[in-house]
Amino acid sequence: KAGVTQTPRYLIKTRGQQVTLSCSPISGHRSVSWYQQTPGQGLQFLFEYFSETQRNKGNFPGRFSGRQFSNSRSEMNVSTLELGDSALYLCASSLVGSTNEKLFFGSGTQLSVL
Amino acid sequence: SQQGEEDPQALSIQEGENATMNCSYKTSINNLQWYRQNSGRGLVHLILIRSNEREKHSGRLRVTLDTSKKSSSLLITASRAADTASYFCATDAGVRGYQKVTFGTGTKLQVIP
């Protein structure tokens, strides 16, 4: 069974641009969560999707958005990039997103904003 | 915001020694999980302990949970160089049972061969 796939692996953007990151969960997993990881703030929860619906959202500005498609693949978008958005963005999948399930993580997208 | 805090922030030990990491959290939980992250990569699930469990083992890993103190510990016995990684505790923060796991600040473990 293929693992969680995130693309691209690395991305360099400039301030003010927007970016879209992609996540393909493990086959059969319907819940996808996104996390931002920075040295200063650690791992911060962004949002969680299940069956194309956002069920939980973290404390991030509206510039951060996401969506999930009918095949459970998910994208997250960051508009009007700021220097502070430089981070490793991780997505994780699980079967139904219950909190007693373990999360399977992708390798992440390393975003650098110049 | 971080639900959990790991202690110590960094730990350096010799191969073969035991490594103990602690996690403290703030609110009541349903489950607590431990994850490992190799540098710049995704996290790998190690073990899940439910709030009604006190201790759990998996191979060389031993996890304890004390809900009265809102703390957990991860013990890695007979450490190996391959155990070098960052270790995170994660709690569900009791939010409606849906996936909103929050992670602690992490312990960076270095195992010296």
Side-chain angles (χ1 to χ4, degrees):
Chain A
K1 214 185 228 187
V4 178
T5 304
Q6 288 189 250
T7 56
R9 182 73 179 94
Y10 301 95
L11 207 46
I12 299 174
K13 293 285 188 179
T14 55
R15 275 183 301 175
Q17 287 187 311
Q18 76 163 17
V19 67
T20 299
L21 311 181
S22 178
C23 174
S24 293
I26 290 173
S27 177
H29 285 191
R30 294 164 63 192
S31 169
V32 174
S33 304
W34 287 90
Y35 290 83
Q36 180 197 65
Q37 186 176 28
T38 59
Q41 296 296 316
L43 277 152
Q44 302 283 328
F45 173 81
L46 280 156
F47 25 66
E48 186 255 354
Y49 285 89
F50 177 79
S51 289
E52 301 177 67
T53 300
Q54 185 183 90
R55 291 195 299 194
N56 271 307
K57 189 177 191 306
N59 192 23
F60 278 82
R63 300 185 297 106
F64 291 81
S65 63
R67 59 178 176 168
Q68 187 181 34
F69 302 96
S70 58
N71 62 358
S72 294
R73 191 177 71 84
S74 177
E75 289 181 348
M76 67 162 281
N77 183 277
V78 188
S79 62
T80 320
L81 283 166
E82 299 177 0
L83 295 179
D85 297 333
S86 294
L88 179 66
Y89 289 88
L90 293 162
C91 88
S93 74
S94 65
L95 278 170
V96 295
S98 168
T99 53
N100 62 4
E101 291 180 308
K102 61 184 181 182
L103 294 171
F104 292 83
F105 281 82
S107 295
T109 293
Q110 184 68 55
L111 172 65
S112 296
V113 182
L114 307 177
Chain B
S1 61
Q2 304 296 135
Q3 158 76 321
E5 274 196 24
E6 276 91 339
D7 169 59
Q9 287 189 337
L11 182 60
S12 184
I13 59 174
Q14 297 287 332
E15 203 166 29
E17 292 181 337
N18 294 342
T20 300
M21 288 157 263
N22 303 297
C23 166
S24 58
Y25 55 92
K26 297 172 187 169
T27 62
S28 64
I29 60 170
N30 297 313
N31 310 290
L32 186 143
Q33 303 183 52
W34 284 90
Y35 287 81
R36 183 188 76 219
Q37 183 181 36
N38 289 89
S39 182
R41 308 296 290 185
L43 283 74
V44 174
H45 181 267
L46 295 174
I47 198 163
L48 179 152
I49 186 165
R50 302 184 196 285
S51 60
N52 61 356
E53 296 175 312
R54 291 295 166 259
E55 189 170 309
K56 204 158 182 182
H57 297 254
S58 176
R60 293 184 297 113
L61 306 180
R62 174 181 166 244
V63 168
T64 61
L65 178 64
D66 186 335
T67 53
S68 66
K69 294 181 179 177
K70 290 188 171 59
S71 69
S72 174
S73 68
L74 170 67
L75 168 68
I76 304 174
T77 60
S79 63
R80 305 166 183 169
D83 295 329
T84 294
S86 291
Y87 291 81
F88 296 88
C89 68
T91 56
D92 60 2
V95 179
R96 289 188 296 168
Y98 298 149
Q99 199 57 271
K100 187 183 177 182
V101 170
T102 54
F103 286 83
T105 49
T107 292
K108 200 164 190 173
L109 173 66
Q110 182 187 29
V111 181
I112 302 165

